[in-house]
Amino acid sequence: MDSTVPPSRPVAITVASEQEPIEVSGVYAERDGGFVLEFSIERDRFTIDHSPSTTRIAAVGGLSYDISLSEKESSTLLSTPYGNIRFAVTPVLRDVVTSNDGLAIVLEYVLTSADGEKIKRSVDIKVRF
């Protein structure tokens, strides 16, 4: 049985969301037909675990969450300094394009709180090998 784990490699990352684009460095590793991407923005750590069927976005820091995007709706518990809030997660777009130079990841989803408030999130990530 081959238990060799593919080596990770450093990458340059541009993250654009509702804020200005941010340039950071991170670590990329291929695994099981997908990849794991890890990076930090200030004191927050992010992990994107992508497979053909699901993309999981996890954050630990000022806001902590673990969101799973696939063909179906899911839920997440957003942990804030003021307490925890449960949200339903409706995936809108999960687009990952790979090339020899890197990755382009576009994730869009809607968070819906128990009182019906909707928050649309869009994240555009460029990874350069």
Side-chain angles (χ1 to χ4, degrees):
M1 181 164 124
D2 184 10
S3 63
T4 305
V5 175
S8 58
R9 61 178 153 172
V11 293
I13 303 168
T14 303
V15 180
S17 60
E18 287 73 21
Q19 303 165 358
E20 293 291 319
I22 298 170
E23 300 280 335
V24 297
S25 42
V27 177
Y28 168 89
E30 292 182 7
R31 74 158 194 80
D32 301 331
F35 62 85
V36 175
L37 179 65
E38 296 176 323
F39 59 93
S40 294
I41 300 175
E42 296 179 7
R43 292 177 296 203
D44 297 324
R45 290 182 330 204
F46 297 88
T47 301
I48 297 175
D49 188 344
H50 175 77
S51 72
S53 63
T54 306
T55 302
R56 188 178 136 260
I57 312 151
V60 176
L63 297 177
S64 296
Y65 53 85
D66 193 334
I67 295 173
S68 214
L69 301 175
S70 65
E71 301 256 335
K72 59 185 176 183
E73 190 172 290
S74 61
S75 68
T76 190
L77 186 63
L78 178 66
S79 176
T80 76
Y82 308 105
N84 297 331
I85 306 167
R86 170 92 35 209
F87 287 95
V89 180
T90 304
V92 175
L93 178 64
R94 186 176 75 93
D95 187 41
V96 177
V97 177
T98 61
S99 71
N100 291 335
D101 300 328
L103 302 167
I105 305 167
V106 179
L107 305 172
E108 293 180 10
Y109 52 94
V110 176
L111 300 173
T112 306
S113 66
D115 65 3
E117 178 185 357
K118 293 183 184 284
I119 303 167
K120 184 170 184 181
R121 298 280 301 153
S122 179
V123 181
D124 186 352
I125 300 170
K126 303 283 190 262
V127 179
R128 293 170 307 286
F129 296 146

